[in-house]
């Protein structure tokens, strides 16, 4: 069985967040005044919800992603150049770099925090020889 994954993220300014993800080359599917869906792939979407709307779905207090990390959202890419391109676009659009690049022969990975402080990473896994 295959599933579609919808990741919900609280955002302070929906318009600003939509512009940020558009700058990364991602498209939107549907939108209202309090939420929008960012298409990651055919099976994965990130739902941007204004903080009050997100709080209406949450059973606990909405965390401040600039102070705590609950999840790291990782985007798998095909090669290191795509990793660099995506993270460079994110930084140019206002993201903050997170950590140092990892290049250990098995993976190439760079991280960034989006405009609301959510932790993202771009990752390329090495293809094993043989």
């Amino acid at each position: 069985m295959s599933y579609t994954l919808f990741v919900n993220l609280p955002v302070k300014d929906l318009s600003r967040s939509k512009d940020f993800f558009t700058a990364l080359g991602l498209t939107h599917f549907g939108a209202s005044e309090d939420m929008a869906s960012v298409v990651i792939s055919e099976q994965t979407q990130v739902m941007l919800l204004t903080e009050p709307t997100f709080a209406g779905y949450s059973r606990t207090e909405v965390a401040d992603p600039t102070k705590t990390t609950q999840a790291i959202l990782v985007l798998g890419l095909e090669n290191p150049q795509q990793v660099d391109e995506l993270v460079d676009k994110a930084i140019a659009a206002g993201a903050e770099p997170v950590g140092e690049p990892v290049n250990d022969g098995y993976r190439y990975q760079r991280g960034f925090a989006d405009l609301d402080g959510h932790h993202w990473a771009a990752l390329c896994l090495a293809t094993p020889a043989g």
Side-chain angles (χ1 to χ4, degrees):
M1 173 180 271
S2 177
Y3 295 97
T4 298
L5 176 65
F6 296 91
V7 176
N8 295 285
L9 294 178
V11 299
K12 294 185 183 310
D13 182 329
L14 182 60
S15 179
R16 181 180 79 144
S17 293
K18 285 171 47 180
D19 289 345
F20 173 79
F21 287 101
T22 298
L24 300 187
L26 299 170
T27 59
H28 299 158
F29 175 78
S32 66
E33 68 180 44
D34 62 349
M35 66 178 69
S37 178
V38 177
V39 177
I40 303 297
S41 72
E42 190 175 306
Q43 298 282 114
T44 307
Q45 295 181 36
V46 174
M47 303 296 297
L48 306 174
L49 287 76
T50 61
E51 287 181 340
T53 300
F54 185 92
Y57 291 105
S58 179
R59 65 180 177 83
T60 58
E61 181 180 343
V62 177
D64 179 348
T66 65
K67 296 180 181 175
T68 62
T69 300
Q70 188 171 23
I72 300 172
L73 304 160
V74 182
L75 300 172
L77 300 166
E78 294 180 11
N79 60 58
Q81 293 77 22
Q82 289 177 339
V83 169
D84 287 337
E85 287 172 11
L86 180 67
V87 175
D88 291 346
K89 283 181 186 177
I91 292 168
E96 295 289 328
V98 173
E100 296 295 321
V102 174
N103 190 355
D104 60 12
Y106 300 103
R107 67 183 169 198
Y108 179 63
Q109 180 174 328
R110 289 177 62 195
F112 63 91
D114 69 19
L115 303 180
D116 288 283
H118 302 290
H119 188 161
W120 292 79
L123 167 72
C124 170
L125 296 175
T127 304

